[in-house]
C-alpha cells in the first residue's frame, strides 16, 4: 500500500446494495434551466421513532509508540486485506467504511443517466460550468470503503465523496456520524469538521459494532437556507404551498365530519 497524498485521499468503493438509485427528474420552469426532483421531501419536521441516541465521549491522544502498537494490534485482528500502514513521517494510512443513509435526493450535472460507479472513479469532467441539474436517489444503504490518511478530516471525506459521485450539492448539507453499539443500545455522534475518521477507527479497532461511519443529511434543527440555490428555494416554496393546502384540506374535512355527526345526532333526538 503506497503512501497517499494528504490533500487527495484515495478511495476504494464497493456497493452493498443492488437497490435502484431511483433516478428521477422534473422539469423546472425557472429561467436558470435546472431540474430538480423533490418527492419524499417535506418542510414539516415529523417526530422519528427508533432514533439513535446521541452521545459524547473522550478521545485519547496517542504517542508515536502507542500508535505503532495500535496499528500492529489492528492488523492482527482483521480478517481481510484492509490493513493499516505506517508512513515514514509518523502518519498512517488505512481504510474506513462509510454507509450512506440519505433520505433526500442529491443533485448532479444533468445528463441522460445518473452517474455510475465507473463515472465516480473517473472523477469530475473538465469543462465549462453546468447550470442544468438533475436529482436522483442514491442506492439505499450503499457502502463505500475509503482509503485515507490518518490526518484526513471528516469534512475532506464528505467533499471527496461528493466529487467522486459528481454531486454538486453544498457539502454543508451533509454530515459524517460515528455509530456504536454498547450494552444493547445504539449511540450516534456527529463528527466535527476537523475530526480524523481513521484515527477513530484505530482507537476503536476493526469491530463494526464498536464503531462504524454513516453519512447523513446535516439536520441540525435549523435549516441553513443560504446553502440552497435559487431554484431549490423556489421549489421549497412550492412544496410549502402544497403542504399548507393539504393541511387546510384535512382540517376542513375534520370539522366538516364533526359537524355532520352533530347534525345527525340532533335529527335523531326526539322533539320535546
Amino acid at each position: 500500500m503506497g503512501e497517499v497524498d494528504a490533500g487527495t485521499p484515495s478511495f476504494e468503493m464497493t456497493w452493498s446494495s443492488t437497490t435502484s438509485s431511483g433516478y428521477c427528474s422534473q422539469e423546472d420552469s425557472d429561467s436558470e434551466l435546472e431540474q430538480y426532483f423533490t418527492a419524499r421531501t417535506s418542510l414539516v419536521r415529523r417526530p422519528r421513532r427508533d432514533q439513535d441516541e446521541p452521545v459524547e465521549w473522550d478521545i485519547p491522544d496517542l504517542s508515536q509508540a502507542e500508535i505503532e502498537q495500535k496499528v500492529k494490534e489492528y492488523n492482527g485482528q482483521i480478517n481481510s486485506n484492509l490493513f493499516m500502514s505506517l508512513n515514514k513521517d509518523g502518519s498512517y494510512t488505512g481504510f474506513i467504511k462509510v454507509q450512506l443513509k440519505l433520505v433526500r435526493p442529491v443533485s448532479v450535472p444533468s445528463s441522460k443517466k445518473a452517474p455510475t460507479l465507473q463515472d465516480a472513479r473517473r472523477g469530475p469532467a473538465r469543462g465549462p460550468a453546468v447550470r442544468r441539474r438533475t436529482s436522483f436517489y442514491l442506492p439505499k444503504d450503499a457502502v463505500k470503503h475509503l482509503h485515507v490518511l490518518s490526518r484526513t478530516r471528516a469534512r475532506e471525506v464528505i467533499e471527496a465523496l461528493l466529487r467522486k459521485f459528481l454531486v454538486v450539492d453544498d457539502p454543508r448539507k451533509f454530515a459524517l456520524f460515528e455509530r456504536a453499539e454498547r450494552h444493547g443500545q445504539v449511540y450516534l455522534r456527529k463528527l466535527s469538521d476537523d475530526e480524523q475518521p481513521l484515527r477513530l477507527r484505530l482507537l476503536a479497532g476493526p469491530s463494526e459494532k464498536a464503531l462504524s461511519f454513516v453519512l447523513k443529511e446535516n439536520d441540525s434543527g435549523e435549516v441553513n437556507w443560504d446553502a440552497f440555490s435559487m431554484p431549490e428555494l423556489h421549489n421549497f416554496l412550492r412544496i410549502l404551498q402544497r403542504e399548507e393546502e393539504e393541511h387546510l384540506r384535512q382540517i376542513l374535512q375534520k370539522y366538516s365530519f364533526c359537524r355532520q355527526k352533530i347534525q345527525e345526532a340532533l335529527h335523531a333526538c326526539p322533539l320535546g
Side-chain angles (χ1 to χ4, degrees):
M1 186 185 307
E3 186 171 338
V4 184
D5 182 17
T8 309
S10 64
F11 292 81
E12 296 293 336
M13 295 171 283
T14 57
W15 295 105
S16 68
S17 170
T18 56
T19 307
S20 169
S21 65
Y23 171 73
C24 304
S25 66
Q26 174 179 319
E27 188 66 27
D28 198 332
S29 59
D30 291 331
S31 60
E32 293 196 35
L33 297 177
E34 301 199 20
Q35 295 177 337
Y36 289 94
F37 183 78
T38 54
R40 303 205 313 236
T41 301
S42 174
L43 297 181
V44 178
R45 294 188 179 274
R46 298 179 175 86
R48 292 183 292 178
R49 293 176 291 180
D50 301 326
Q51 190 171 10
D52 294 327
E53 180 179 347
V55 68
E56 298 285 344
W57 54 76
D58 295 329
I59 302 172
D61 290 325
L62 299 179
S63 66
Q64 187 60 34
E66 289 173 325
I67 290 175
E68 293 175 2
Q69 181 62 30
K70 281 280 188 182
V71 169
K72 182 178 180 181
E73 293 174 356
Y74 182 95
N75 290 339
Q77 296 175 29
I78 61 175
N79 298 319
S80 63
N81 60 348
L82 304 180
F83 297 103
M84 289 195 187
S85 300
L86 290 165
N87 300 321
K88 293 180 180 179
D89 61 359
S91 65
Y92 50 96
T93 59
F95 293 86
I96 59 172
K97 185 170 77 171
V98 180
Q99 182 181 23
L100 276 68
K101 285 195 171 184
L102 301 177
V103 177
R104 295 187 284 271
V106 296
S107 300
V108 298
S110 182
S111 62
K112 294 181 179 180
K113 61 179 181 178
T116 64
L117 190 58
Q118 288 72 26
D119 295 329
R121 286 173 175 164
R122 283 195 296 267
R126 299 182 182 276
V130 179
R131 299 180 64 191
R132 193 177 183 88
R133 298 181 184 180
T134 299
S135 293
F136 75 103
Y137 291 99
L138 287 173
K140 185 179 179 181
D141 293 334
V143 171
K144 297 165 184 61
H145 288 88
L146 288 69
H147 187 214
V148 297
L149 274 166
S150 55
R151 56 178 173 265
T152 301
R153 300 176 302 149
R155 179 52 52 187
E156 292 175 311
V157 169
I158 295 173
E159 291 172 351
L161 279 172
L162 298 183
R163 285 197 306 271
K164 290 290 183 179
F165 283 93
L166 310 180
V167 176
V168 294
D169 291 309
D170 193 307
R172 291 177 295 174
K173 294 182 183 180
F174 307 92
L176 193 63
F177 291 80
E178 66 174 359
R179 190 173 187 272
E181 297 181 29
R182 299 179 181 179
H183 311 295
Q185 297 290 326
V186 175
Y187 299 93
L188 197 68
R189 185 178 73 90
K190 178 182 174 180
L191 301 187
S192 66
D193 288 350
D194 294 329
E195 287 194 71
Q196 300 162 335
L198 188 62
R199 180 167 172 261
L200 299 175
R201 177 81 279 165
L202 179 64
L203 290 170
S207 171
E208 290 294 321
K209 287 188 176 182
L211 176 71
S212 60
F213 295 104
V214 182
L215 183 70
K216 291 186 173 185
E217 282 87 2
N218 190 11
D219 292 330
S220 58
E222 292 294 330
V223 178
N224 183 14
W225 296 112
D226 292 336
F228 295 92
S229 65
M230 186 172 294
E232 286 178 306
L233 293 173
H234 282 302
N235 216 13
F236 286 142
L237 287 176
R238 287 194 290 270
I239 295 170
L240 188 63
Q241 181 178 355
R242 287 199 298 267
E243 291 190 356
E244 180 182 7
E245 293 171 353
E246 176 62 20
H247 284 305
L248 287 174
R249 187 192 65 80
Q250 291 177 2
I251 291 172
L252 291 174
Q253 185 179 35
K254 173 184 176 181
Y255 281 95
S256 176
F257 178 78
C258 185
R259 186 181 299 108
Q260 179 183 348
K261 291 299 181 182
I262 293 174
Q263 291 174 347
E264 290 175 357
L266 284 172
H267 290 310
C269 289
L271 294 176

